[in-house]
Amino acid sequence: MGKGQQENVATSLAGAVSEEISASLAPVDAELERRYPGDPGTRQPVHTVYVPADAFTVDTVRSWGDRALAALDEHAPDAASFAAVLGLADDLAGPVYDRVRAKLEREPIEDLRVDFEDGYGRRPDAEEDEAAARAARLIAQAYADGTAAPYMGIRMKCMEASVRRRGIRTLDVFLTGLMDAGGLPDGLVLTLPKVTYAEQVTAMVRLLEEFEKARGLTPGRIGFEIQIETSQSILATDGTATVARLIQAAEGRATGLHYGTFDYSACLGVSAAHQSSDHPAADHAKAIMQVAAAGTGVRVSDGSTNVLPVGPTAKVHDAWRLHYGLTRRALARAYYQGWDMHPGHIPTRYAAVFAFYREGFEQAAGRLARYANRTDGDVMDEPATAKALSGYLLRGLDCGALDIAEVARLAGLTRADLEGFAAPRRGDLTASAT
């Protein structure tokens, strides 16, 4: 065939065949869109801090930042000493340390949960009522004066019979207080703990529907996280994955699945000395959570360590190394959020997160630039990889590990460009980049 000669294209199927197949798959198309809408594209906090309701005050966020800075001043007063503790490469030591300190001064907590469950316990009703009302007032005040963490809310008591009424009342008092103070903040997050059956999630949905009706809110306005702390929430009696049912029972309101390290470990009989987020039982549970949540828009959060960085410097350094290692391990497994239990954990949380994004961003930006410009490189990337690369860069930007100027310099892309690659149309992910 000569150059420029047009290829003869022939088909054998009648046009009606394609139309009939499309019509037959229309319900499936709709089901895919409903069940797997993809990531919401909003910021995901790198951690959640739990503060008992009776300990929560107007200056909790700032206090945690100050205490974290004091820990650095005492136990790692400069970049070299901090890097030596954590094993940071020389080229990362300064940038990571400087960014950690700046973060602690500017935004020490990304997500705060006022805890009315295990961290608070059972109190007289009048006392818990007052604490719930105070939490609403202080959170509303913090959002009004600009001192709030980006995300704030409460962890209520669970839907088990012994505490159900108390949990419902606390949620009602808290949400009512926010409404009376001016409305629900955009960063509001609620956590439902110790879920074992999908019916408990359904009950939470009904509860929020009734509140929305009572206060004239848009249906679906209030979402919530589901805490995974029991074996039954992972595997049902018939051998199926309960956690997938929990997501569907939430009817689009579920925003996250949070792994509860110690309750889940205890449920399986893991002895206290071996309860950790890197235990094989924890890895199994989180892997099932991750697969069940993939594509649904529900995000998975790792748990915490209960080893606190307190005491003499040598002991603090040991706890820092443990926390840093667990956080880096979680990030490599795509668990981009975890729990922090103590102000001393925050420096190593941010050090791990910042190092993770800074050590890989040049390669990620370069690969994404080659993909965007359709230029050759040593890796042949496809739309799904471009989505992962852009998501990596966006998470780094959101937490403060990266600056848009340095990403733009290497990738030649704006934030809007990155967001476009991070949220491709469903069909685009099946198309080859070649």
Side-chain angles (χ1 to χ4, degrees), residues 76-84 88 93-95 97-98:
D78 53 47
S81 58
F82 197 48
L88 291 174
Y97 189 77
D98 291 344

Side-chain angles (χ1 to χ4, degrees), residues 70-77 81-82 85 309-314 316-317 320:
L72 278 180
D73 290 340
E74 181 177 358
H75 303 294
S81 58
F82 197 48
V85 173
V310 297
T313 295
V316 170
H317 286 181
W320 273 354

Side-chain angles (χ1 to χ4, degrees), residues 100-116:
V100 167
R101 292 197 69 98
K103 181 76 169 180
L104 295 176
E105 292 167 356
R106 182 186 73 255
E107 188 181 74
I109 295 176
E110 290 197 357
D111 183 27
L112 186 147
R113 208 71 71 251
V114 181
D115 190 15
F116 286 89

Side-chain angles (χ1 to χ4, degrees), residues 283-303:
D283 285 341
H284 172 259
K286 287 180 287 189
I288 294 177
M289 291 163 60
Q290 190 173 47
V291 173
T296 65
V298 178
R299 290 157 166 172
V300 175
S301 173
D302 198 5

Side-chain angles (χ1 to χ4, degrees), residues 282-352:
D283 285 341
H284 172 259
K286 287 180 287 189
I288 294 177
M289 291 163 60
Q290 190 173 47
V291 173
T296 65
V298 178
R299 290 157 166 172
V300 175
S301 173
D302 198 5
S304 62
T305 175
N306 60 358
V307 178
L308 303 184
V310 297
T313 295
K315 186 176 179 182
V316 170
H317 286 181
D318 286 343
W320 273 354
R321 278 188 285 268
L322 174 65
H323 185 242
Y324 178 87
L326 291 173
T327 303
R328 286 302 305 260
R329 184 180 189 272
L331 290 167
R333 286 158 174 76
Y335 308 132
Y336 299 115
Q337 184 176 355
W339 296 10
D340 286 327
M341 308 290 286
H342 187 274
H345 286 141
I346 304 181
T348 38
R349 169 69 61 183
Y350 290 132

Side-chain angles (χ1 to χ4, degrees), residues 27-382:
V28 173
D29 296 338
E31 186 76 350
L32 281 171
E33 290 296 328
R34 184 177 73 85
R35 292 186 181 274
Y36 300 100
D39 189 85
T42 54
R43 176 182 179 180
Q44 181 179 11
V46 302
H47 68 168
T48 299
V49 163
Y50 281 81
V51 177
D54 58 323
F56 178 59
T57 67
V58 68
D59 64 348
T60 290
V61 173
R62 185 62 264 154
S63 173
W64 274 57
D66 290 343
R67 291 168 65 187
L69 284 166
L72 278 180
D73 290 340
E74 181 177 358
H75 303 294
D78 53 47
S81 58
F82 197 48
V85 173
L86 303 181
L88 291 174
D90 291 344
D91 61 331
L92 285 176
V96 167
Y97 189 77
D98 291 344
R99 285 173 184 268
V100 167
R101 292 197 69 98
K103 181 76 169 180
L104 295 176
E105 292 167 356
R106 182 186 73 255
E107 188 181 74
I109 295 176
E110 290 197 357
D111 183 27
L112 186 147
R113 208 71 71 251
V114 181
D115 190 15
F116 286 89
E117 205 230 356
D118 286 347
Y120 183 73
R122 297 196 185 192
R123 309 288 181 96
D125 282 341
E127 183 177 342
E128 185 158 340
D129 280 352
E130 184 178 355
R134 183 179 68 251
R137 176 175 56 81
L138 294 180
I139 287 176
Q141 178 182 333
Y143 277 108
D145 63 23
T147 62
Y151 299 93
M152 299 183 79
I154 67 167
R155 177 169 70 167
M156 59 189 282
K157 289 178 170 63
C158 68
M159 286 291 180
E160 292 177 356
S162 61
V163 293
R164 183 183 305 138
R165 289 183 181 275
R166 181 62 258 180
I168 291 172
R169 180 172 175 82
T170 296
L171 181 64
D172 187 9
V173 170
F174 175 70
L175 292 178
T176 298
L178 287 177
M179 291 296 298
D180 291 347
L184 304 182
D186 291 339
L188 174 66
V189 188
L190 306 174
T191 303
L192 178 66
K194 292 184 175 59
V195 176
T196 53
Y197 281 81
E199 288 82 357
Q200 293 168 325
V201 174
T202 298
M204 183 68 166
V205 171
R206 298 287 88 80
L207 178 61
L208 296 177
E209 284 179 343
E210 290 303 317
F211 187 87
E212 288 165 351
K213 291 177 185 176
R215 299 305 300 245
L217 295 170
T218 303
R221 164 66 180 85
I222 310 174
F224 61 97
E225 301 165 336
I226 300 170
Q227 202 158 2
I228 304 299
E229 300 176 273
T230 67
S231 60
Q232 296 93 335
S233 62
I234 293 295
L235 197 66
T237 55
D238 62 1
T240 58
T242 312
V243 65
R245 297 179 184 173
L246 303 182
I247 293 172
Q248 295 307 313
E251 299 179 20
R253 293 179 185 265
T255 59
L257 300 174
H258 282 230
Y259 176 69
T261 304
F262 305 105
D263 281 290
Y264 187 86
S265 298
C267 182
L268 269 62
V270 179
S271 62
H274 296 283
Q275 292 177 0
S276 176
S277 62
D278 61 351
H279 190 281
D283 285 341
H284 172 259
K286 287 180 287 189
I288 294 177
M289 291 163 60
Q290 190 173 47
V291 173
T296 65
V298 178
R299 290 157 166 172
V300 175
S301 173
D302 198 5
S304 62
T305 175
N306 60 358
V307 178
L308 303 184
V310 297
T313 295
K315 186 176 179 182
V316 170
H317 286 181
D318 286 343
W320 273 354
R321 278 188 285 268
L322 174 65
H323 185 242
Y324 178 87
L326 291 173
T327 303
R328 286 302 305 260
R329 184 180 189 272
L331 290 167
R333 286 158 174 76
Y335 308 132
Y336 299 115
Q337 184 176 355
W339 296 10
D340 286 327
M341 308 290 286
H342 187 274
H345 286 141
I346 304 181
T348 38
R349 169 69 61 183
Y350 290 132
V353 170
F354 292 171
F356 176 75
Y357 290 113
R358 291 205 65 79
E359 68 188 19
F361 93 92
E362 290 189 7
Q363 181 186 43
R367 283 180 65 178
L368 190 57
R370 288 191 293 274
Y371 174 84
N373 296 320
R374 297 296 192 268
T375 56
D376 294 332
D378 58 352
V379 179
M380 184 178 292
D381 287 323
E382 297 192 353

